Amino acid sequence: MINVNTYLIIMVLLIGSVLSAQNDTIQLKNNDVLAGEVKSLTKGVLTLKTSYSDKDFKIEFNKVNGLFIQRKCLVLLTDGRRRFGNIRTDKQGLVLTLEDNTVERYQLEEVVGLTEIDDKFLRRVRGSIDFGFNFTKSNDNAQFTINGTLNYIDRLWLFSGDISVLNATQDDAAVTKRTDAGLELIRILPRKWYLLGDVSYLSNTEQALEGRISPSIGFGRFIFSSNKLYLGLSLGFTYNIENYVNTDLNKTSTEAVFAASFNMFDFEDISIISGFDFFTSLSEKGRFRSDYDITLKYDLPLDFYIKFGFTLNYDNQPAIVGNDFDYIFNSGFGWKFN
């Protein structure tokens, strides 16, 4: 019996050591050590999933002194640098082992973000969905909005999709409808450069636009990137297929597009995302358009959030004279998943 118990104890210790060896580990500056699965580093917060807690741990990255992650990670460094490999730390800082076994060293302060690249496709997908509803008794004014996002990340490819739908009704007034959607694919290149391709769609009753489909191609560069914000600029070519309420106005056109994207994060639970696109027509004399959007999001517990947004569209040659501008303020309550 003593021998059996001894063997059982040894087996339990061995199994425990194997399981613990499969854990990622994080050492804090106060010398506490946490074990689990590192999910990501974003907005200056490291997310750790453990088997002994119902909720993921959220750890401020500036309190981390060391870490060891078993899976390969896509690492975003300052100045837009990207690396892919296994990471750990030693007394000199971060040690990154690339796929060809090349070893590179960095300081922890240079790490802006990281994401584990899982072998399973669905584990690489993230998304969110939110709803908004406003009702005013006067004139029975009702407005409903729904917004959704979907993102996929790989070593060298980034995919994102989004959709925003508005439907508003009011007594003695025409129904207002607006649908704005887009798909974007980015191929990461060395030295902060990237190639991009996207398709956008806009349907807007304010500008009598039944639907505009705009596939684009281009290239861009991260101008500034740090652990708190980044700014990217791009230049490209767009082909428009436009259908209007008045079918006599239906047309196709080509445009050059200049775009800027701005993301400010690492301000606790608040994030700000903004983008500006300027289109100048290559096939229609004197025509130009611009789109601007900004979204403020505040994170809540259990992956819920509230958000406030503003979108502006301008066309100097609209289908309805005088309706050059269309804009929308929106708010919503949503949930994000990964």
Side-chain angles (χ1 to χ4, degrees):
M1 180 64 68
I2 295 176
N3 290 336
V4 172
N5 288 338
T6 302
Y7 288 139
L8 287 175
I9 292 173
I10 293 174
M11 288 178 64
V12 169
L13 291 175
L14 288 174
I15 292 173
S17 65
V18 170
L19 291 176
S20 64
Q22 293 176 345
N23 282 333
D24 303 329
T25 55
I26 299 174
Q27 182 181 16
L28 304 180
K29 290 183 177 180
N30 63 3
N31 293 324
D32 288 346
V33 177
L34 300 175
E37 180 186 353
V38 172
K39 305 294 291 184
S40 65
L41 167 64
T42 182
K43 303 176 185 177
V45 176
L46 192 69
T47 301
L48 179 72
K49 179 180 180 181
T50 68
S51 59
Y52 48 83
S53 176
D54 294 334
K55 298 180 181 180
D56 293 342
F57 282 96
K58 303 291 186 179
I59 305 161
E60 295 181 17
F61 194 60
N62 59 11
K63 296 180 180 179
V64 173
N65 191 47
L67 71 164
F68 172 81
I69 301 178
Q70 293 215 351
R71 288 195 181 103
K72 289 183 173 62
C73 294
L74 178 62
V75 184
L76 176 62
L77 303 165
T78 53
D79 296 327
R81 296 168 294 169
R82 292 175 179 266
R83 297 293 187 269
F84 181 74
N86 293 101
I87 62 176
R88 61 182 176 85
T89 54
D90 59 17
K91 294 181 179 179
Q92 282 73 45
L94 183 74
V95 180
L96 176 60
T97 304
L98 306 182
E99 287 186 297
D100 60 0
N101 291 322
T102 301
V103 176
E104 298 181 352
R105 290 183 172 273
Y106 303 95
Q107 296 301 312
L108 273 179
E109 293 76 13
E110 296 182 81
V111 179
V112 177
L114 65 85
T115 302
E116 286 191 345
I117 302 298
D118 200 283
D119 293 333
K120 297 180 180 179
F121 174 82
L122 291 179
R123 293 288 297 273
R124 303 178 185 178
V125 177
R126 291 179 171 83
S128 67
I129 185 169
D130 57 76
F131 302 90
F133 180 75
N134 298 312
F135 178 79
T136 305
K137 183 178 183 298
S138 176
N139 297 325
D140 287 333
N141 189 338
Q143 177 178 298
F144 174 78
T145 62
I146 180 172
N147 302 275
T149 65
L150 191 66
N151 300 279
Y152 172 84
I153 184 170
D154 205 337
R155 176 189 173 188
L156 296 173
W157 296 92
L158 303 175
F159 168 82
S160 63
D162 63 85
I163 184 170
S164 177
V165 178
L166 164 72
N167 193 310
T169 60
Q170 181 178 321
D171 287 349
D172 302 323
V175 175
T176 299
K177 294 183 179 181
R178 175 191 174 91
T179 301
D180 193 352
L183 297 173
E184 183 178 67
L185 182 65
I186 293 179
R187 174 62 159 85
I188 303 298
L189 300 176
R191 299 182 179 276
K192 300 191 290 185
W193 291 94
Y194 56 87
L195 297 176
L196 63 89
D198 68 65
V199 179
S200 63
Y201 173 81
L202 177 64
S203 175
N204 187 349
T205 55
E206 177 67 16
Q207 295 177 319
L209 182 63
E210 286 283 354
R212 176 192 293 128
I213 300 175
S214 304
S216 303
I217 57 173
F219 65 93
R221 192 171 192 270
F222 291 107
I223 302 302
F224 182 79
S225 178
S226 73
N227 59 355
K228 288 187 177 292
L229 57 89
Y230 76 76
L231 171 67
L233 302 178
S234 63
L235 185 66
F237 172 84
T238 298
Y239 180 74
N240 291 317
I241 304 171
E242 296 176 298
N243 294 312
Y244 292 88
V245 174
N246 181 354
T247 57
D248 293 336
L249 299 176
N250 292 353
K251 58 186 174 182
T252 61
S253 60
T254 56
E255 298 173 317
V257 55
F258 168 79
S261 58
F262 176 76
N263 192 344
M264 185 173 70
F265 47 91
D266 195 14
F267 291 85
E268 297 188 359
D269 295 323
I270 296 176
S271 62
I272 299 176
I273 300 175
S274 182
F276 174 76
D277 299 314
F278 180 80
F279 306 86
T280 179
S281 182
L282 302 175
S283 57
E284 297 178 281
K285 184 177 180 180
R287 186 188 183 191
F288 61 88
R289 302 184 298 112
S290 62
D291 298 329
Y292 173 74
D293 65 85
I294 184 170
T295 299
L296 171 65
K297 184 181 292 186
Y298 182 78
D299 292 333
L300 301 173
L302 301 176
D303 291 328
F304 288 101
Y305 63 86
I306 55 175
K307 77 164 196 176
F308 304 91
F310 172 72
T311 300
L312 171 70
N313 302 108
Y314 174 77
D315 188 340
N316 75 324
Q317 296 181 11
I320 300 177
V321 177
N323 286 10
D324 304 27
F325 287 94
D326 182 42
Y327 60 88
I328 175 175
F329 292 93
N330 66 79
S331 61
F333 174 81
W335 174 71
K336 57 186 177 181
F337 60 89
N338 54 30

